[in-house]
Amino acid sequence: MSTDHIHPEPTTFLSKHVFSTDHKVIAKQFMWFGLIWLGIGGIMAMMIRWQLANPGEPVPLIGALLFPRTEGVLDPATYNTLFTMHGTIMIFLGLTPLMIGALGNWCIPLMIGARDMIFPTLNMLSFWAMFAGGAVGFYSLFVPMGATEAGWTGYPTLSTTVGTQGQGETLWALAVFLIGASSIMGGINYMTTVIRLRAPGMTWDRLPLTVWGIFLTSVLNVLFIPVIGSAMILLFLDRVFGTTFFVPASIMQGGGGGDPILYQHLFWIFGHPEVYILILPAWGIIGDLLSFFARKPAFGYRISVGAMAAVTILSAVVYGHHMFTTGLSPMLGESFMLLTMIISVPAEILFFNWLHTLWKGNLRLTTPMLFSIGVIFVFGLGGLTGIYCATIGTDIFLHDTMFIVGHFHLTMAASALFATFGGIYFWFPKMFARQMNETLGKIHFWGSFVPLVTLFCLMFVMGYAGMPRRYYDHTSVEYLEALQHMNRYATHAAFLLGAAQLVFVYNFIKSRWWGPKADSNPWQVGTLDWLTETPVPHCNFVQIPTVLSGPHEFSNPKLGPDRDWIPMTEKMPS
């Protein structure tokens, strides 16, 4: 382990604020980037929900401006573009830069006692590759014939020139490739930094769970993003150079042709680990936050780490449950079903460890704690409903219905988003040396939690009743028209959820520049990131700390009646 990883402080505006190699500045760049894209993706979600509840009616406020040709009404092609770009943006340009780029960059060096990332220039390139991917994706919205319409999964033959004309899908593939390159660069940096730059005494069993979550995510990024990268290259070649990797032979003139199912294999070999790429950091963050605000050691720390490692390994062998309806052989399908059932066991262990951490704790119901408890609830709902998606018999019935949308959003989107919000509220005082407003934070939580659960639970009911996803107008089908009232209720909940995010935007911006000054350790926790000065100096630590205890030393009787925590740099009294 190295402790002398020092870089000179930048002296120019560009080197300090734009092309910075300081992990703290890069973390903030990722955060602003992710929040802006999360807002764009959220606006798209509101337009999708408006169409589902009020098919054929003009989108209020912004419809006439965005869709003047149709007098503010979404046409089917635009609707397809919206749900395609919404999914792509929220996963690749919203949650990924926020959770992995921003919180990962901020937490890893500070939590392990390092001065910076081990490859600072690669870290800078990681952000700008992500920025380039976002720029390409944004540009695709304005090209002739519009952006991609093939769904965020980009299935051929819809995504080939046979199914989608114009430049939009080609630019989508290029954007995903660039975003993947960014994640690979970040993953290499994170893994190497944790392995090489831990402070003296920071053994593997003293790493905060946040670091464990991001470290294991980095392993998945480095292993599986090259697979989606290869799929994007082949799709790009099909679209630009006329190859036929994914164009079926049945529609080729003169023989030849490829296999569109090959793309699905490549996509889901990456795509299911992607679920864990986003949920593992969430698990790590809430594992720490629950301990910090229950004022108790994290229950089963080593077991939790083992469970996260088991999920990381098993995530590579369960992807086929996305393909039960593709003609997968029954034996292979049953194998994927069994493996998917097995991967739920370590997830259940984590779930019960979180509950045991809360049990009889001295709970401090701060905003980060509320969002952490919210993760437990929404992940529990999403995980339980995932059993039906993993079982062949029920999945064949529920496949491509609103049930899948509800499950996916609760399991990955809501869980990862709530953990990200919890992390932002928690580390905000150290990042910006100011405190966010707790009252507004709690309004944001309850204004998000209740509508979100309502929205996606309604999708379970609609999906069980047979409502397909991705339909432009469900009222055009007689048996679905009777379910339209639930679509309207779900849309009302979605609008309330969207309105709650405006509270966060106001709180974040106001607190960033005008919030009250934050103490160096307002939450009274002992991890190394809170033991340095506020604002954090360029080198992070004037002197590299020596770690003498674990990250969750709370409420130990040896500390006496007037103290319930110790820093990691202090040894527990004997």
Side-chain angles (χ1 to χ4, degrees):
M1 291 183 291
S2 173
T3 58
D4 57 353
H5 203 66
I6 302 176
H7 308 286
E9 190 165 356
T11 56
T12 66
F13 178 85
L14 285 177
S15 62
K16 188 173 184 179
H17 297 289
V18 182
F19 299 108
S20 174
T21 58
D22 185 341
H23 76 99
K24 300 181 292 297
V25 176
I26 295 171
K28 294 173 185 177
Q29 289 175 322
F30 270 116
M31 179 166 288
W32 284 108
F33 179 86
L35 288 174
I36 290 169
W37 275 107
L38 208 62
I40 295 171
I43 291 170
M44 289 180 173
M46 296 302 104
M47 290 191 283
I48 293 168
R49 287 309 321 174
W50 174 266
Q51 167 61 27
L52 291 175
N54 308 281
E57 295 185 20
V59 177
L61 301 179
I62 59 175
L65 177 65
L66 295 178
F67 319 115
R69 184 176 56 84
T70 56
E71 298 180 345
V73 177
L74 290 178
D75 58 31
T78 304
Y79 177 77
N80 290 347
T81 294
L82 282 176
F83 70 66
T84 299
M85 293 302 291
H86 164 74
T88 304
I89 287 167
M90 298 304 260
I91 292 171
F92 295 118
L93 294 172
L95 287 173
T96 296
L98 274 174
M99 176 170 284
I100 303 173
L103 296 183
N105 251 297
W106 182 265
C107 292
I108 285 179
L110 289 169
M111 285 188 130
I112 67 173
R115 298 197 186 278
D116 204 332
M117 289 291 179
I118 196 165
F119 304 124
T121 303
L122 188 68
N123 203 19
M124 177 193 71
L125 292 174
S126 172
F127 170 75
W128 286 106
M130 177 72 72
F131 186 90
V136 171
F138 188 72
Y139 172 68
S140 75
L141 294 170
F142 303 99
V143 297
M145 302 183 71
T148 174
E149 303 174 34
W152 80 274
T153 54
Y155 281 175
T157 52
L158 278 176
S159 59
T160 65
T161 53
V162 174
T164 304
Q165 300 297 316
Q167 304 173 32
E169 184 71 34
T170 307
L171 292 170
W172 177 86
L174 178 59
V176 172
F177 184 87
L178 289 169
I179 294 164
S182 166
S183 296
I184 293 171
M185 287 188 271
I188 292 170
N189 218 348
Y190 292 176
M191 289 168 57
T192 313
T193 299
V194 172
I195 292 169
R196 297 285 298 158
L197 296 186
R198 285 172 287 127
M202 181 63 80
T203 55
W204 288 100
D205 62 352
R206 286 177 174 170
L207 283 177
L209 290 169
T210 299
V211 176
W212 269 114
I214 299 169
F215 177 81
L216 293 171
T217 279
S218 301
V219 174
L220 292 177
N221 271 336
V222 171
L223 288 176
F224 293 108
I225 285 184
V227 181
I228 189 69
S230 67
M232 293 302 106
I233 291 172
L234 296 180
L235 181 61
F236 186 88
L237 292 174
D238 276 6
R239 294 188 59 83
V240 177
F241 295 103
T243 58
T244 57
F245 292 105
F246 302 134
V247 181
S250 59
I251 61 174
M252 288 298 299
Q253 304 256 342
D259 184 2
I261 301 299
L262 169 63
Y263 178 93
Q264 292 197 34
H265 282 286
L266 292 173
F267 183 88
W268 289 116
I269 286 172
F270 151 81
H272 201 78
E274 171 67 10
V275 173
Y276 299 104
I277 284 169
L278 291 179
I279 204 63
L280 280 165
W283 288 349
I285 289 168
I286 71 161
D288 279 337
L289 295 186
L290 291 172
S291 172
F292 295 159
F293 294 107
R295 313 307 287 177
K296 281 179 60 182
F299 182 80
Y301 169 88
R302 288 183 175 86
I303 295 173
S304 293
V305 171
M308 289 196 291
V311 165
T312 303
I313 295 167
L314 288 169
S315 70
V317 292
V318 300
Y319 79 90
H321 65 233
H322 293 274
M323 300 175 62
F324 289 149
T325 60
T326 62
L328 210 61
S329 74
M331 185 173 69
L332 194 57
E334 288 180 6
S335 301
F336 280 122
M337 181 176 73
L338 176 62
L339 289 165
T340 306
M341 295 298 183
I342 292 171
I343 203 174
S344 68
V345 175
E348 289 168 8
I349 291 171
L350 283 166
F351 186 85
F352 286 113
N353 280 358
W354 299 332
L355 294 181
H356 210 298
T357 300
L358 293 176
W359 180 251
K360 294 186 178 180
N362 181 20
L363 304 186
R364 297 182 179 179
L365 295 178
T366 61
T367 303
M369 181 62 151
L370 289 176
F371 275 104
S372 300
I373 295 172
V375 172
I376 297 176
F377 187 85
V378 297
F379 180 75
L381 272 179
L384 287 173
T385 54
I387 295 171
Y388 303 99
C389 306
T391 308
I392 295 173
T394 48
D395 181 71
I396 288 173
F397 172 72
L398 296 169
H399 190 79
D400 258 342
T401 69
M402 284 291 188
F403 191 98
I404 302 297
V405 180
H407 158 71
F408 174 83
H409 279 82
L410 281 172
T411 305
M412 190 173 83
S415 301
L417 184 64
F418 275 14
T420 301
F421 279 135
I424 290 172
Y425 280 103
F426 180 71
W427 279 290
F428 189 94
K430 186 60 74 172
M431 292 180 83
F432 299 108
R434 294 184 183 273
Q435 195 80 33
M436 292 186 77
N437 186 288
E438 273 289 296
T439 302
L440 290 177
K442 290 172 181 176
I443 292 171
H444 174 219
F445 169 74
W446 288 110
S448 299
F449 178 78
V450 175
L452 182 143
V453 173
T454 303
L455 168 62
F456 297 124
C457 285
L458 279 169
M459 289 185 180
F460 291 140
V461 179
M462 290 186 281
Y464 184 75
M467 181 178 285
R469 59 176 173 171
R470 298 175 177 167
Y471 271 35
Y472 170 71
D473 181 3
H474 292 101
T475 62
S476 62
V477 183
E478 185 176 353
Y479 85 96
L480 294 177
E481 194 170 2
L483 303 174
Q484 186 61 15
H485 66 287
M486 280 191 279
N487 247 333
R488 286 192 287 269
Y489 296 150
T491 295
H492 296 158
F495 287 164
L496 290 173
L497 175 62
Q501 308 322 303
L502 299 178
V503 178
F504 169 78
V505 171
Y506 172 79
N507 193 6
F508 186 93
I509 293 175
K510 182 176 183 296
S511 301
R512 167 63 185 88
W513 283 281
W514 301 286
K517 297 279 187 178
D519 296 332
S520 286
N521 193 352
W523 309 117
Q524 296 182 307
V525 296
T527 50
L528 298 182
D529 50 322
W530 293 99
L531 303 184
T532 186
E533 303 170 18
T534 301
V536 181
H538 173 71
C539 60
N540 290 351
F541 302 93
V542 176
Q543 182 175 353
I544 294 293
T546 298
V547 177
L548 300 173
S549 60
H552 307 126
E553 300 292 353
F554 295 102
S555 301
N556 193 310
K558 295 177 182 178
L559 296 175
D562 301 324
R563 193 178 180 202
D564 76 339
W565 69 283
I566 61 169
M568 293 182 73
T569 53
E570 182 177 330
K571 192 172 180 62
M572 180 66 69
S574 56

